[in-house]
């Protein structure tokens, strides 16, 4: 004849044991399942390392060391227009001409050097400063939303 | 005994059930998070090279999927296709490029900068050249006034080692040397040439201009030093001329650009 105390104790032992075993099994299965999901997502997109904006960058900013980062992106996004990590030194300290979001790949055409000769960068900087300080001078578009709004409103570049 | 076993099994089943009820939604949520960044999002991809200034037509791009974590609002979503058709691109594009709004950045500012550069370029170049010529003339004039350089010191030692002067820390090019930046190091005399500065000549270094950058521990040599008031080395000459040209170009650029914009009103 079992006492009520032994029955209660047995229930507690069963509860703890069952929870522990189930927790371990569930944890293992969850880990495997999530990793499998992650692997499936990644392998369906071959990845390539490129140089990206480390943070949101405004047009006109000069890229310091902390402005650039490397990131793996789908190969489908990468053409010769995109800067790869081994060529990152070429764009360091260059003046950006377009707005970028953190993580956006850097393209060679995004920089002032795309239309200003390197030996004239000082002249370009002086002209930019003068234009920025002119009250009616053309202003830089600060975000993609600005560009979209202008195009949508019918004002073409 | 049987009742105890039943209670253990029952307790175990309740435990398993409780963990399962907690784990299933948590796992589902975690999988959603992992999957979230990889959900395809439609963007526009250019199908052929497009020149700057060329109008975009519908046959120049196609819709394509990319994981959403790589498509910030910098990229043109497929839904906005109608907006960009007929719009001229401001930047050249290559086949395969994902179309971003940056490709349509307003060209007015770039045109103004280009026009400004074209207008002031010659004046700035001439100002730089004049500053170069003036700096060179000043340098030559100083050379004529300068006494002969002091005789180089030859190391002597009876102990097999010579105490020479080294950089105590990293020192930038053009710095005026102070005693705090310098240190002594004992080196075998076979390694010391007449170019090395001996510790006994330390006082002569203080206030001299360093012509090249040094790293901590680099030995000081007479060739990399110059008189800050009357430079006489070729490297010092080059540095002086470069500095004069850059200052003249910066001054001229700023004045000319401001004058140009003032004269033209709105660029």
């Amino acid at each position: 004849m079992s006492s009520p105390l032994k029955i209660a104790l047995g229930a507690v032992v069963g509860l703890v044991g069952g929870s522990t075993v189930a927790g371990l099994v569930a944890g293992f299965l969850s880990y495997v399942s999530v990793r499998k999901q992650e692997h499936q997502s990644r392998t369906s997109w071959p990845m390539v390392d490129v140089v990206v904006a480390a943070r949101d960058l405004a047009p006109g900013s000069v890229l310091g060391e902390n402005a650039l980062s490397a990131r793996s992106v789908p190969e489908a996004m990468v053409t010769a227009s995109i800067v790869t990590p081994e060529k990152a030194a070429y764009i360091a300290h260059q003046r950006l001409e377009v707005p970028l979001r953190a993580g956006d790949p850097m393209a060679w055409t995004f920089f002032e050097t795309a239309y200003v000769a390197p030996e004239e960068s000082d002249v370009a900087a002086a002209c930019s400063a003068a234009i920025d300080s002119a009250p009616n001078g053309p202003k830089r578009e600060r975000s993609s939303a600005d560009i979209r709004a202008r195009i949508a409103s019918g004002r073409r570049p | 005994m049987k009742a105890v076993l039943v209670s253990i099994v029952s307790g175990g089943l309740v435990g398993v059930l409780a963990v399962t009820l907690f784990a299933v939604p948590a796992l589902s949520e975690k999988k959603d998070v992992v999957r979230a960044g990889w959900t395809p999002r439609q963007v526009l991809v250019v199908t052929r090279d497009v020149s700057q200034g060329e109008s975009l037509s519908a046959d120049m791009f196609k819709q394509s999927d990319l994981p959403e974590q790589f498509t910030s609002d910098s990229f043109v979503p497929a839904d906005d296709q109608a907006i960009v058709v007929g719009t001229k691109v401001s930047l050249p594009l290559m086949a395969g490029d994902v179309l971003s709004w940056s490709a349509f950045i307003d060209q007015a500012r770039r045109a103004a900068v280009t026009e400004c550069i074209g207008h002031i370029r010659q004046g700035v170049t001439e100002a730089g050249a004049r500053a170069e010529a003036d700096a060179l003339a000043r340098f030559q004039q100083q050379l004529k006034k300068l006494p002969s350089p002091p005789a180089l010191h030859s190391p002597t030692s009876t102990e097999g080692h010579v105490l020479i002067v080294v950089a105590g820390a990293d020192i930038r090019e053009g710095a005026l040397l102070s005693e705090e930046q310098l240190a002594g190091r004992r080196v075998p005399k076979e390694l010391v040439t007449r170019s090395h500065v001996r510790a006994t000549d330390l006082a002569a270094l203080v206030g001299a201009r360093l012509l090249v950058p040094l790293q901590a521990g680099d030995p000081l040599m007479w060739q990399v030093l110059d008189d800050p008031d009357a430079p006489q080395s070729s490297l010092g000459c080059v540095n002086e001329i470069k500095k004069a040209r850059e200052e003249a170009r910066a001054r001229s650029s700023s004045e000319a650009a401001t004058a140009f914009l003032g004269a033209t009103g709105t660029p």
Side-chain angles (χ1 to χ4, degrees):
Chain A
M1 190 67 183
S2 302
S3 69
L5 183 62
K6 283 184 178 174
I7 293 173
L9 196 62
V12 170
V13 168
L15 186 66
V16 172
S19 303
T20 305
V21 171
L24 288 172
V25 171
F28 176 74
L29 291 178
S30 299
Y31 175 78
V32 170
S33 176
V34 169
R35 288 303 298 265
K36 188 179 172 189
Q37 176 74 55
E38 205 168 31
H39 182 70
Q40 279 176 345
S41 300
R42 282 186 175 277
T43 49
S44 58
W45 295 100
M47 307 292 271
V48 179
D49 283 348
V50 298
V51 179
V52 300
R55 58 177 190 276
D56 290 358
L57 296 170
S61 52
V62 175
L63 300 187
E65 291 172 1
N66 298 329
L68 301 174
S69 182
R71 183 189 188 191
S72 292
V73 301
E75 196 176 36
M77 293 181 80
V78 183
T79 67
S81 302
I82 304 298
V83 182
T84 48
E86 65 272 16
K87 292 176 182 166
Y90 292 108
I91 59 168
H93 310 298
Q94 298 296 325
R95 190 180 300 278
L96 191 64
E97 285 288 295
V98 300
L100 289 179
R101 289 287 195 193
D104 282 352
M106 293 278 174
W108 296 107
T109 52
F110 290 169
F111 297 93
E112 183 185 75
T113 43
Y115 72 102
V116 173
E119 65 273 16
E120 289 186 333
S121 60
D122 54 347
V123 183
C127 286
S128 283
I131 290 168
D132 286 341
S133 62
N136 299 321
K139 302 301 177 200
R140 296 180 192 273
E141 288 173 311
R142 311 298 297 178
S143 69
S144 296
D146 289 348
I147 300 171
R148 185 189 182 284
R150 173 177 46 79
I151 299 173
S153 71
R155 287 179 291 125
R156 299 303 186 184
Chain B
M1 188 62 189
K2 190 179 174 187
V4 173
L5 280 175
V6 169
S7 69
I8 292 173
V9 172
S10 303
L13 288 175
V14 171
V16 169
L17 187 64
V19 169
T20 305
L21 287 175
F22 168 77
V24 169
L27 175 62
S28 176
E29 194 177 326
K30 179 68 181 167
K31 285 175 90 169
D32 284 346
V33 169
V34 170
R35 209 172 11 227
W38 297 92
T39 304
R41 184 181 174 217
Q42 283 206 314
V43 292
L44 302 176
V45 173
V46 180
T47 52
R48 70 163 174 85
D49 293 356
V50 183
S51 305
Q52 183 180 346
E54 200 172 345
S55 289
L56 214 56
S57 57
D59 60 338
M60 290 181 181
F61 56 79
K62 63 177 182 183
Q63 294 188 2
S64 186
D65 285 341
L66 280 178
E68 64 177 354
Q69 64 175 299
F70 300 103
T71 57
S72 69
D73 61 6
S74 300
F75 295 96
V76 181
D79 295 344
D80 280 343
Q81 178 176 336
I83 295 178
V84 297
V85 168
T87 305
K88 289 179 181 176
V89 297
S90 312
L91 308 177
L93 299 170
M94 294 184 73
D97 281 349
V98 182
L99 197 59
S100 68
W101 291 110
S102 298
F104 306 101
I105 190 108
D106 192 359
Q107 296 200 74
R109 195 176 185 291
R110 178 178 285 202
V113 172
T114 305
E115 187 185 354
C116 173
I117 292 173
H119 187 80
I120 72 174
R121 174 186 287 126
Q122 190 173 351
V124 172
T125 303
E126 287 171 1
R130 273 196 306 275
E132 269 186 24
D134 291 348
L136 184 59
R138 275 199 307 277
F139 188 83
Q140 288 170 329
Q141 194 66 32
Q142 283 171 343
L143 274 183
K144 289 172 189 167
K145 294 178 184 172
L146 289 171
S148 300
L152 292 175
H153 300 262
S154 58
T156 56
S157 171
T158 55
E159 300 171 0
H161 285 79
V162 177
L163 188 62
I164 63 167
V165 179
V166 299
D170 292 354
I171 312 176
R172 63 177 174 78
E173 174 190 331
L176 298 181
L177 294 177
S178 65
E179 202 165 334
E180 295 73 38
Q181 295 171 306
L182 305 170
R185 178 176 292 171
R186 197 170 290 280
V187 294
K189 68 177 181 182
E190 295 81 14
L191 301 180
V192 179
T193 69
R194 296 202 309 163
S195 300
H196 290 95
V197 180
R198 292 192 305 164
T200 50
D201 294 321
L202 178 63
L205 295 190
V206 175
R209 187 182 297 285
L210 187 64
L211 298 175
V212 297
L214 290 183
Q215 294 191 334
D218 283 347
L220 266 290
M221 302 176 90
W222 294 105
Q223 297 94 315
V224 301
L225 302 169
D226 207 351
D227 186 332
D229 300 320
Q232 54 188 311
S233 75
S234 57
L235 193 51
C237 176
V238 170
N239 287 345
E240 287 290 313
I241 289 174
K242 185 179 164 195
K243 186 179 165 196
R245 183 186 62 228
E246 285 174 357
E247 285 175 357
R249 282 180 63 93
R251 196 169 45 247
S252 171
S253 296
S254 178
E255 290 170 2
T258 305
F260 170 69
L261 288 169
T264 57
T266 304

